[in-house]
Amino acid sequence: MQHELKGERRMSQHSQHIRLVRTPVGVPTEADFAMGDSELADPAPGQVLVRVTALSLDPYLRSAMAGRHMSGTIQVGDVVRGEGLVKVLASAHPRMAVGQHWVALCGWRSHALLDDAVVQQARLVSDQIQPQTLALGGLGMPGLTAWAGFHRLAEVQARDTVLVSAATGPVGATFGQLARIAGCRVVGIAGGADKCAWVTGTAGFAACINHRSEDLRVAIQRECPKGVDVYFDNVGGDVLQAAVENLALKARVILCGLMAQYNGAPLPGPSPGWFIKARATVRGLVVYDHWDALPTMVAELSAHQRAGNMHFREDIAQGLASTPAAFERLMRGLNQGKALVVL
Amino acid sequence: MQHELKGERRMSQHSQHIRLVRTPVGVPTEADFAMGDSELADPAPGQVLVRVTALSLDPYLRSAMAGRHMSGTIQVGDVVRGEGLVKVLASAHPRMAVGQHWVALCGWRSHALLDDAVVQQARLVSDQIQPQTLALGGLGMPGLTAWAGFHRLAEVQARDTVLVSAATGPVGATFGQLARIAGCRVVGIAGGADKCAWVTGTAGFAACINHRSEDLRVAIQRECPKGVDVYFDNVGGDVLQAAVENLALKARVILCGLMAQYNGAPLPGPSPGWFIKARATVRGLVVYDHWDALPTMVAELSAHQRAGNMHFREDIAQGLASTPAAFERLMRGLNQGKALVVL
């Protein structure tokens, strides 16, 4: 696969990166990571040189650092894996052209040489996505996760009572807004009064439960007096347990994330008796199964966005060096919306 | 509602019954129950006098004795609730005629006066059901449970690998045989070599794992090398955990029974991560939702039975006095097939 190199020729490109230097215990901290420098050569045939313009911080990375994620393990010594928004500087691959913006598995780097396998999995950023950083959030993988859960798994019906955990995260916020648009009563769960204010004030949920200040079971019963018809779970643990104790008959539960256990050991789930009692249907959701729907999702959600009917919140840190601290904030649940680093 | 009394008139009918005299701790024993006598009057209008010909022993009764079953609590002092096969001796209710055989909530009694509410819920025994005791087992509520799980929830496809726990019980054995007839590879789990011999030799499962002598995870991997496409759970606890660790992609799990916890406290379920990883669909099954299908189930399963393609196993104790001991055997998992007492 010989391709002519297009773009600026240089002897080398200086790049900064962040490695994992020890396996985090509990919540990752800055000391678990270290910055370093390298010089990147011009792209060999099949490679692409990119500048990273934004990094996506995702809770599943914590699981990968513990060797417990299906996407593979991030080993001590590795540059941290992860998706970012990249701009093509020089390409020796037919799929990418100089100046284009893509979402790619670039890792925590300022610049990256993408190999063929990474290029093949990358996604061109649609012009419909404004601002472009939404390609990492509500109009990217998290948005697709929510879209697939809503359209393909949850069998949502108008007037359902829909409960969503991690309701300010890009998955939960998007799922809840889709349900609100479909005519459901949507109740969020989030950690903090400021988060809840956004969930009800901007995202338009009917209510939001602050799990840091309220008894979850009492609050769910108050806000979902007829029971929970659809529960979208990003958390597991106690939040999942409280939700399943309040399911309505024929409830649907979407299992999507495990925030409660990413920093520690796996937690058990609810006793099967709760699902039997509710005649519930419980489905596991993995976004990788739904890439085919990406263009459909972008078209649908961006149209809602332009109509002022769907809102995406971003929590943006500045500069590669701020990445570990921003990741720690995410894993403590202190982020307000999709966690990003803009470089 | 005045109805002429039909059947033998007598001054009274002597009856024996069994009461719960203390709340069982762990596995119920004979000392938790006591026999007593009573005299039953002629049926008042709306009542029916019956002779009980067989009692059904079901694990859910243990849960009801602990106050944890949706059918209601069996209190200390109550005659033990439970279904039986009854013959009408005298009727003052238009729904029942003298000489008919019904399945009714008669309780642990030799004779019973059924009130209108019990009469309304009773089910006439179809002539297709031979022997009649199968109206309490494979052609009754347990058979309907299996039928509904198979036809309405499990989305079974030919060549699926189907794993069934409590495989000699009337629910598991019936579900597994339906799957075998549909062309699946069916693997049972049962406690004991004698049980496993029946599961493979008579019920025709491809294999049976004896959980008392084998490591469940190792055995499931050996017998289900491509993973478990459908798991029918009557047990919960460790068996459920071992099964979900071996699910194939897009597996279906039917949650039906909780044998592992009927004698004790509720057990947690599997971490949601297992269901996410498998993109599983998990459904809670309660037979009460499926009474509409009873005639369809009886016609289908009795036809398989007459064709020699489906087998029902009964574990029959003799005489009302043997009921507590038979119930203890059931709750220890020592029964071989549907647990019954013939009076």
Side-chain angles (χ1 to χ4, degrees):
Chain A
M1 194 166 61
Q2 294 287 331
H3 301 291
E4 191 187 347
L5 176 63
K6 288 169 184 158
E8 318 159 43
R9 290 194 175 266
R10 16 180 134 201
M11 288 311 292
S12 72
Q13 169 65 52
H14 184 74
S15 175
Q16 290 186 297
H17 58 250
I18 297 175
R19 293 186 189 279
L20 183 69
V21 295
R22 64 180 191 197
T23 299
V25 176
V27 176
T29 65
E30 290 195 62
D32 298 324
F33 304 94
M35 283 193 76
D37 295 84
S38 60
E39 296 296 322
L40 304 179
D42 275 352
Q47 289 187 325
V48 178
L49 177 70
V50 298
R51 182 167 71 81
V52 179
T53 60
L55 283 172
S56 175
L57 302 181
D58 297 280
Y60 81 84
L61 295 174
R62 175 66 185 87
S63 202
M65 290 172 193
R68 282 198 300 261
H69 195 263
M70 65 182 78
S71 65
T73 298
I74 299 172
Q75 308 274 0
V76 168
D78 288 351
V79 173
V80 180
R81 204 173 54 219
E83 285 196 321
L85 195 58
V86 303
K87 182 176 181 182
V88 178
L89 298 182
S91 176
H93 195 294
R95 191 160 187 247
M96 289 191 177
V98 172
Q100 288 178 331
H101 294 268
W102 292 75
V103 173
L105 205 68
C106 54
W108 289 9
R109 290 180 172 93
S110 67
H111 299 75
L113 261 181
L114 309 182
D115 287 331
D116 177 66
V118 172
V119 170
Q120 295 292 355
Q121 288 183 22
R123 306 184 299 279
L124 187 64
V125 177
S126 158
D127 292 340
Q128 296 172 301
I129 299 176
Q130 295 295 338
Q132 281 191 331
T133 47
L134 288 179
L136 301 174
L139 298 175
M141 188 164 73
L144 183 61
T145 306
W147 185 95
F150 184 83
H151 284 295
R152 293 184 167 175
L153 301 186
E155 303 175 56
V156 174
Q157 297 172 3
R159 288 193 287 277
D160 275 352
T161 295
V162 174
L163 182 68
V164 182
S165 60
T168 56
V171 179
T174 305
F175 186 92
Q177 290 180 88
L178 280 168
R180 187 249 299 147
I181 291 167
C184 301
R185 172 175 173 80
V186 185
V187 177
I189 300 172
D194 43 0
K195 290 184 179 182
C196 281
W198 184 85
V199 167
T200 52
T202 302
F205 289 25
C208 186
I209 297 165
N210 176 359
H211 67 76
R212 297 191 197 272
S213 68
E214 292 196 84
D215 181 282
L216 257 179
R217 285 166 183 77
V218 171
I220 293 172
Q221 283 167 17
R222 182 188 67 232
E223 299 299 344
C224 309
K226 297 177 191 165
V228 175
D229 296 303
V230 174
Y231 174 56
F232 191 95
D233 184 50
N234 291 300
V235 177
D238 290 340
V239 178
L240 175 59
Q241 180 66 37
V244 304
E245 291 180 15
N246 289 285
L247 295 179
L249 274 185
K250 298 184 185 286
R252 287 128 280 152
V253 176
I254 307 299
L255 303 174
C256 179
L258 299 164
M259 192 66 188
Q261 71 178 51
Y262 285 137
N263 292 316
L267 298 169
S271 169
W274 295 106
F275 297 129
I276 295 174
K277 184 180 171 194
R279 288 76 149 162
T281 298
V282 184
R283 292 191 170 95
L285 168 56
V286 175
V287 67
Y288 306 155
D289 300 339
H290 302 284
W291 283 123
D292 64 289
L294 186 72
T296 306
M297 177 279 289
V298 170
E300 179 179 331
L301 300 196
S302 65
H304 286 314
Q305 179 197 23
R306 287 189 296 275
N309 213 8
M310 180 163 291
H311 302 273
F312 304 110
R313 194 182 202 193
E314 298 180 316
D315 185 311
I316 298 179
Q318 298 289 340
L320 185 67
S322 69
T323 306
F327 189 62
E328 178 179 344
R329 273 168 44 79
L330 171 68
M331 296 312 297
R332 289 192 190 282
L334 300 177
N335 57 306
Q336 303 277 351
K338 170 62 192 170
L340 297 170
V341 181
V342 168
L343 275 63
Chain B
M1 196 168 53
Q2 294 287 330
H3 303 288
E4 191 188 347
L5 176 64
K6 289 169 183 158
E8 318 160 42
R9 289 192 176 267
R10 16 180 134 201
M11 290 311 293
S12 72
Q13 169 65 53
H14 184 74
S15 175
Q16 290 186 296
H17 58 251
I18 297 175
R19 294 186 189 278
L20 183 70
V21 295
R22 64 180 191 197
T23 299
V25 176
V27 175
T29 66
E30 291 195 61
D32 297 324
F33 304 94
M35 282 193 78
D37 295 84
S38 60
E39 297 296 323
L40 303 179
D42 276 352
Q47 288 187 326
V48 177
L49 178 70
V50 297
R51 182 167 70 81
V52 178
T53 61
L55 282 173
S56 175
L57 302 182
D58 297 280
Y60 81 84
L61 295 174
R62 174 67 186 87
S63 202
M65 291 172 192
R68 282 199 299 262
H69 196 262
M70 65 182 80
S71 66
T73 297
I74 299 172
Q75 309 274 359
V76 168
D78 287 351
V79 173
V80 180
R81 203 173 56 219
E83 285 197 322
L85 195 57
V86 303
K87 182 176 182 182
V88 178
L89 298 182
S91 176
H93 194 293
R95 191 160 187 246
M96 289 190 177
V98 171
Q100 288 178 333
H101 294 269
W102 291 75
V103 173
L105 204 68
C106 54
W108 289 9
R109 291 181 172 92
S110 66
H111 300 75
L113 262 181
L114 309 183
D115 287 330
D116 176 67
V118 172
V119 171
Q120 295 293 354
Q121 287 181 22
R123 307 184 298 279
L124 187 63
V125 178
S126 158
D127 292 339
Q128 296 170 302
I129 299 176
Q130 295 296 337
Q132 282 191 331
T133 46
L134 288 179
L136 301 175
L139 297 176
M141 188 164 73
L144 183 61
T145 307
W147 185 96
F150 184 84
H151 284 295
R152 294 184 166 175
L153 300 186
E155 303 175 58
V156 174
Q157 296 173 2
R159 288 194 287 278
D160 274 351
T161 296
V162 174
L163 182 68
V164 182
S165 60
T168 56
V171 180
T174 305
F175 186 92
Q177 289 180 87
L178 279 168
R180 187 248 299 147
I181 291 166
C184 301
R185 172 177 174 79
V186 185
V187 177
I189 300 173
D194 44 0
K195 290 186 179 182
C196 280
W198 183 84
V199 167
T200 53
T202 303
F205 289 24
C208 186
I209 297 165
N210 177 358
H211 67 76
R212 296 191 200 272
S213 69
E214 292 196 84
D215 180 282
L216 257 180
R217 285 166 183 76
V218 171
I220 293 172
Q221 282 167 18
R222 182 187 68 233
E223 299 300 344
C224 310
K226 296 176 191 166
V228 175
D229 296 303
V230 174
Y231 174 56
F232 191 95
D233 185 51
N234 290 302
V235 176
D238 290 340
V239 178
L240 175 59
Q241 180 66 38
V244 304
E245 291 181 15
N246 289 287
L247 295 178
L249 274 185
K250 299 185 185 285
R252 287 128 279 153
V253 176
I254 307 299
L255 302 174
C256 179
L258 298 164
M259 193 66 188
Q261 71 178 50
Y262 285 138
N263 292 316
L267 298 169
S271 169
W274 295 105
F275 297 128
I276 295 175
K277 184 180 171 195
R279 288 75 149 162
T281 299
V282 183
R283 291 191 170 95
L285 168 56
V286 175
V287 67
Y288 306 153
D289 301 340
H290 303 283
W291 284 121
D292 64 289
L294 187 73
T296 306
M297 177 280 289
V298 170
E300 179 180 330
L301 300 196
S302 65
H304 286 313
Q305 179 197 24
R306 286 189 297 275
N309 213 7
M310 181 165 288
H311 302 273
F312 304 109
R313 193 181 202 193
E314 298 180 317
D315 185 312
I316 298 179
Q318 298 288 341
L320 185 68
S322 69
T323 307
F327 189 61
E328 178 179 344
R329 274 169 43 79
L330 170 69
M331 296 313 296
R332 290 193 189 281
L334 300 176
N335 57 306
Q336 303 278 351
K338 170 63 193 170
L340 297 169
V341 180
V342 168
L343 274 62

